[in-house]
Amino acid sequence: MASVTSLSDSVEQHLASALSATLPEAAGADPLLRRSDRADFQANGILALAKKAKANPRELATKVVSEIVTGEVIKDVEVSGPGFLNITVADKAITENLAARYADDTGRLGVPYAERPGTTVVDYAQPNVAKEMHVGHLRSAVIGNAAVQLLEFTGETVVRRHHIGDWGTQFGMLIQYLDEHPHELDHKDAEVSGEEAMSNLDRLYKAARKVFDSDEEFKTRARRRVVDLQAGEPRTLAMWQKFVDESKIYFFSVFEKLDMEVRDADIVGESGYNDMLAETCRLLEESGVAVRSEGALCVFFEDVKGPDGNPVPLIVQKSDGGYGYAATDLSAIRDRVFNLKADSLLYVVDARQSLHFRMVFETARRAGWLNDDVKAFQLAFGTVLGKDGKPFKTREGETVKLVDLLDEAVDRATAVVREKAEKVGLTEQEIVENGRHVGIGAVKYADLSTSAVRDYKFDLDQMVSLNGDTSVYLQYAYARVQSILRKSEGATPTPHPELELAAAERALGLHLDQFGETVLEVAAAHEPHKLASYLYQLASHLTTFYDQCPVLKAETVEQKENRLFLIDLTARTLHRGMALLGIRTPDKL
């Protein structure tokens, strides 16, 4: 199935032809077309062209109008104000365009692929080994997953990377403790829940910390373990692996709750780049990108200075020979560019790490690993706040566990679903399943409907509300269409291009037509909140349509079939759009 040309593209082509016929030198100029309240579209490009050609914009606009071919696509064009063009599209063109989208049996709704897809590595959902995932990990996981889905949908080859914190001095303490208490991570049963794995790790961590803080000899042994770990001593590595494996049981259980696929092969933690660190430092030092300063290997920047006015360097290797995060991040860039052949690197990381990544990317550019053909971006995200507008914490001031938060969201959502269950005829199993989809969807949507870089308030009451800009409102819109389709008594959704369209049908149709360009723009700019906004507007157009256009009680059979077709295409667009955000749409709600 070929992709469907959007109405705005068709109108733009008509305008471009008329422009170059009127002003040959305007060939290829952008007519600056956009949706308008005054008509279906407005074109503002003539003002700039008239200025360039030293012509009267209104006269030029009138000449362009006389060259525009009306009929199949464009019904009417009028000149307004100083030289704007107000364009109305033919009803038939709207219905035929939507019919072509509806006929696409690939599930793509006629959406084209990106013009020049490449390979992007997305680095997201980066938990730490032997530590609870908290609400801060939520944003990286949810935003990263949406970025992955969107890029893949546009034809990009996506390599997922979960850069987990699985290396460093803290492991000396844990490994030494496990060596002295060898059965602490043993399992009684073959099946271990994520909760059990985390409580094992948590218990061991607290016990190890207690001994580390009170026993100097243990502290010395633990520090020696760090040296063994970094040297790759087999027994020490085997014990380190136990911590990684136990943590993965826990990670996978959390990602499953989040309804997200995380594959073992995609987890390449800090340890995955150990063998490259020395070479990374050598390459940077030999090329003069990094220099020795007080024994440490540093990269300096003109625009990065501390409060005292002195330059703050990126430290790649410490004076004691140890490697910092920068060495690992720079080695990861080398791996992703030269081994994975990526032309785009996307890091979904907390905004508080922006300076670090700016310095790392600039260092990689100076080294020649990043350039005009290979780019790196940080998709920085803000903080999750409580209702009080302060960073989200428990009453005791501790960081909130992600699992507790997700469980509470599902509990609240299940209560909302249960209230309406009898009316819709849901079984207990459907109530539980829908409660999960609504609860997790609510959490994801609240995150994704805010621009990533902004902080947002975590308010479960608002998130599971049926009113307002929430995922439940969108899921409900989808389920309502399914309910109408079930009651359609033998009438099948069928497009009728010969019918005139009511105002609400036209508004819905024109918005449906924008799905393809919205998805491509959102994927290229890594801005999932704009897709959430599009889908919310789509559900709002659907609500207005229901108020003004009876479906099952339409005046004629043709009108009924055409309206069923319109709402079915709307539901398919909601379903596809929500899936790109990682949210499910139940058939009954």
Side-chain angles (χ1 to χ4, degrees):
M1 168 81 200
S3 61
V4 178
T5 303
S6 69
L7 288 167
S8 57
D9 278 355
S10 302
V11 170
E12 212 161 86
Q13 285 161 17
H14 279 70
L15 282 181
S17 310
L19 271 175
S20 54
T22 313
L23 261 188
E25 65 269 30
D30 186 350
L32 297 180
L33 192 71
R34 59 183 181 81
R35 287 295 312 277
S36 164
D37 302 336
R38 309 251 164 106
D40 295 334
F41 295 100
Q42 188 174 67
N44 303 341
I46 287 174
L47 299 181
L49 286 170
K51 198 173 176 185
K52 219 168 159 186
K54 297 193 168 45
N56 175 316
R58 207 176 154 92
E59 280 172 20
L60 181 60
T62 309
K63 279 185 190 158
V64 171
V65 170
S66 67
E67 294 286 348
I68 291 175
V69 180
T70 53
E72 288 293 300
V73 177
I74 295 177
K75 181 182 173 189
D76 184 42
V77 188
E78 57 176 41
V79 179
S80 102
F84 300 134
L85 299 184
N86 284 342
I87 300 150
T88 305
V89 178
D91 286 357
K92 182 171 184 249
I94 295 175
T95 306
E96 283 178 346
N97 173 286
L98 299 181
R101 295 183 182 285
Y102 192 67
D104 181 356
D105 53 9
T106 65
R108 289 187 64 79
L109 304 169
V111 177
Y113 287 99
E115 274 178 30
R116 286 184 297 280
T119 298
T120 298
V121 173
V122 182
D123 187 328
Y124 68 111
Q126 309 101 345
N128 292 312
V129 164
K131 284 191 182 163
E132 276 276 5
M133 286 175 72
H134 56 77
V135 72
H137 291 118
L138 175 70
R139 297 209 75 183
S140 178
V142 170
I143 296 166
N145 187 55
V148 168
Q149 302 299 334
L150 280 157
L151 285 167
E152 285 184 338
F153 187 69
T154 64
E156 188 78 3
T157 301
V158 177
V159 181
R160 307 157 189 227
R161 278 291 174 265
H162 307 293
H163 189 88
I164 64 171
D166 66 353
W167 203 247
T169 51
Q170 73 277 21
F171 283 99
M173 171 184 93
L174 296 174
I175 292 167
Q176 187 58 36
Y177 187 84
L178 186 62
D179 194 24
E180 295 174 18
H181 305 80
H183 299 296
E184 283 294 303
L185 288 182
D186 291 358
H187 296 148
K188 290 186 259 322
D189 306 310
E191 280 292 303
V192 184
S193 70
E195 226 164 295
E196 199 183 320
M198 192 62 238
S199 84
N200 278 345
L201 288 164
D202 199 41
R203 192 183 62 244
L204 191 148
Y205 186 88
K206 283 176 180 155
R209 183 89 241 176
K210 204 171 167 184
V211 183
F212 187 85
D213 289 341
S214 61
D215 181 341
E216 281 305 316
E217 286 176 12
F218 176 80
K219 195 178 268 188
T220 308
R221 293 197 296 279
R223 287 187 174 141
R224 219 171 296 146
R225 270 294 161 155
V226 177
V227 179
D228 290 345
L229 178 64
Q230 288 173 341
E233 193 271 314
R235 192 153 171 274
T236 302
L237 271 183
M239 271 187 286
W240 166 80
Q241 190 63 49
K242 276 190 168 180
F243 285 100
V244 175
D245 292 342
E246 193 79 5
S247 297
K248 279 184 180 176
I249 296 172
Y250 162 70
F251 295 158
F252 286 129
S253 73
V254 178
F255 290 126
E256 199 175 320
K257 247 184 210 204
L258 267 171
D259 196 12
M260 263 175 60
E261 182 196 38
V262 169
R263 300 177 295 229
D264 199 36
D266 302 332
I267 298 178
V268 182
E270 293 165 354
S271 63
Y273 306 100
N274 282 343
D275 299 347
M276 300 175 71
L277 301 177
E279 194 185 2
T280 295
C281 291
R282 183 177 63 74
L283 291 168
L284 291 172
E285 192 168 8
E286 282 177 6
S287 61
V289 173
V291 293
R292 291 277 163 194
S293 172
E294 295 173 27
L297 187 63
C298 303
V299 183
F300 289 92
F301 307 86
E302 285 293 307
D303 57 343
V304 185
K305 294 190 169 68
D308 55 3
N310 292 329
V312 176
L314 181 71
I315 299 173
V316 186
Q317 190 179 19
K318 300 175 210 161
S319 52
D320 65 4
Y323 300 105
Y325 288 128
T328 309
D329 287 333
L330 287 160
S331 299
I333 288 177
R334 284 177 53 217
D335 178 58
R336 292 164 185 187
V337 173
F338 300 111
N339 296 337
L340 300 175
K341 305 283 185 263
D343 36 46
S344 180
L345 308 178
L346 185 64
Y347 291 78
V348 188
V349 183
D350 191 318
R352 286 172 292 199
Q353 294 187 45
S354 293
L355 178 62
H356 169 77
F357 278 100
R358 211 176 86 210
M359 291 159 84
V360 165
F361 296 162
E362 177 56 29
T363 301
R365 264 192 292 276
R366 291 181 191 176
W369 306 332
L370 296 175
N371 51 42
D372 289 347
D373 299 324
V374 186
K375 295 188 168 62
F377 311 87
Q378 182 192 356
L379 207 176
F381 55 83
T383 309
V384 181
L385 306 173
K387 283 187 194 176
D388 57 2
K390 296 190 177 118
F392 203 62
K393 293 271 196 286
T394 63
R395 286 208 183 106
E396 294 73 42
E398 287 172 29
T399 312
V400 179
K401 291 180 182 178
L402 183 48
V403 175
D404 294 348
L405 204 69
L406 299 177
D407 288 345
E408 193 185 341
V410 170
D411 289 347
R412 294 276 187 99
T414 307
V416 171
V417 171
R418 197 176 288 285
E419 267 171 42
K420 294 190 171 296
E422 209 170 306
K423 203 166 133 195
V424 199
L426 295 180
T427 64
E428 182 59 28
Q429 191 185 342
E430 285 171 326
I431 292 171
V432 170
E433 199 169 290
N434 287 357
R436 211 171 60 236
H437 295 331
V438 171
I440 297 301
V443 170
K444 288 181 176 178
Y445 187 85
D447 193 319
L448 293 168
S449 56
T450 309
S451 165
V453 81
R454 286 175 51 198
D455 300 342
Y456 82 98
K457 280 187 187 171
F458 199 94
D459 179 350
L460 275 176
D461 295 327
Q462 174 52 36
M463 287 179 190
V464 297
S465 160
L466 287 165
N467 305 314
D469 188 1
T470 64
S471 79
V472 196
Y473 175 65
L474 301 180
Q475 287 168 321
Y476 186 64
Y478 175 83
R480 193 173 171 191
V481 173
Q482 301 312 314
S483 165
I484 292 173
L485 292 172
R486 285 194 291 273
K487 293 176 192 158
S488 59
E489 294 153 12
T492 48
T494 313
H496 284 279
E498 73 282 1
L499 292 180
E500 268 188 38
L501 297 175
E505 291 175 303
R506 299 185 95 255
L508 181 61
L510 286 164
H511 194 70
L512 282 169
D513 174 61
Q514 287 181 287
F515 180 62
E517 55 206 49
T518 302
V519 166
L520 291 179
E521 280 167 22
V522 161
H526 314 306
E527 293 180 323
H529 68 280
K530 290 188 175 168
L531 177 58
S533 165
Y534 168 88
L535 295 169
Y536 174 62
Q537 288 166 347
L538 180 60
S540 306
H541 279 302
L542 183 66
T543 304
T544 309
F545 165 86
Y546 283 139
D547 290 346
Q548 298 175 12
C549 306
V551 179
L552 298 177
K553 293 183 177 164
E555 288 168 22
T556 64
V557 173
E558 290 77 13
Q559 193 180 55
K560 181 179 177 178
E561 290 179 339
N562 199 56
R563 286 179 178 172
L564 285 169
F565 145 71
L566 266 177
I567 63 169
D568 195 10
L569 180 60
T570 302
R572 289 181 189 189
T573 306
L574 280 169
H575 174 75
R576 169 54 68 200
M578 292 288 265
L580 290 173
L581 296 178
I583 300 171
R584 294 186 189 259
T585 37
D587 281 353
K588 288 181 184 174
L589 257 190

